[in-house]
Amino acid sequence: QVQLVESGGGSVQAGGSLRLSCDASGSTYDSMCMAWFRQAPGKEREGVASRSNFGIIKYSDSVKGRFTISHYRGGDKNTLYLQMNSLEPNDTATYYCAAKGSGDCYLGSRFVSWGQGTQVTVSS
């Protein structure tokens, strides 16, 4: 069982930046696919960015060019990041980290482990 804990959310003005972190622990998968999703009030959950164990990265069109997903693994640390620049009010949502094992890795994949979410609020 993989445990995922997000952090780094907050409130910023439009045009600002935030960096989210997702610490993975427990029985992490050998070939782990990880991703960021978000859900705004009254809207469906939306995939933001995914990263395969081989470093293949995919972004949703709405964040491409503004957000960057990255990953660090070393010692006991296994952390997924989401650098968010040029934030817009439409980026306001709860952001979730997700993980799955080997196999397909894209935003439409079936992720089995989820974090509790971190809130991002962007004001105009």
Side-chain angles (χ1 to χ4, degrees):
Q1 184 75 14
V2 178
Q3 287 82 47
L4 303 172
V5 179
E6 303 97 335
S7 61
S11 297
V12 295
Q13 289 190 327
S17 299
L18 282 173
R19 188 175 82 155
L20 306 183
S21 300
C22 171
D23 291 316
S25 62
S27 300
T28 56
Y29 308 113
D30 288 339
S31 299
M32 199 155 66
C33 166
M34 299 184 76
W36 289 98
F37 289 79
R38 67 186 182 185
Q39 188 166 20
K43 295 187 177 180
E44 292 188 356
R45 186 173 62 200
E46 172 192 20
V48 175
S50 64
R51 184 190 182 281
S52 77
N53 187 55
F54 301 102
I56 297 172
I57 289 173
K58 299 179 181 179
Y59 295 99
S60 68
D61 289 342
S62 60
V63 306
K64 202 172 294 182
R66 300 187 298 122
F67 291 11
T68 303
I69 189 172
S70 62
H71 179 256
Y72 174 79
R73 186 164 192 164
D76 292 337
K77 196 170 181 64
N78 186 350
T79 303
L80 184 73
Y81 299 98
L82 184 67
Q83 177 66 44
M84 306 186 294
N85 298 327
S86 301
L87 282 161
E88 304 168 352
N90 284 341
D91 296 318
T92 295
T94 300
Y95 284 71
Y96 298 91
C97 175
K100 64 181 293 290
S102 60
D104 60 283
C105 184
Y106 60 103
L107 293 175
S109 299
R110 182 177 176 272
F111 289 84
V112 297
S113 297
W114 294 84
Q116 83 290 348
T118 185
Q119 178 67 36
V120 172
T121 303
V122 184
S123 58
S124 58

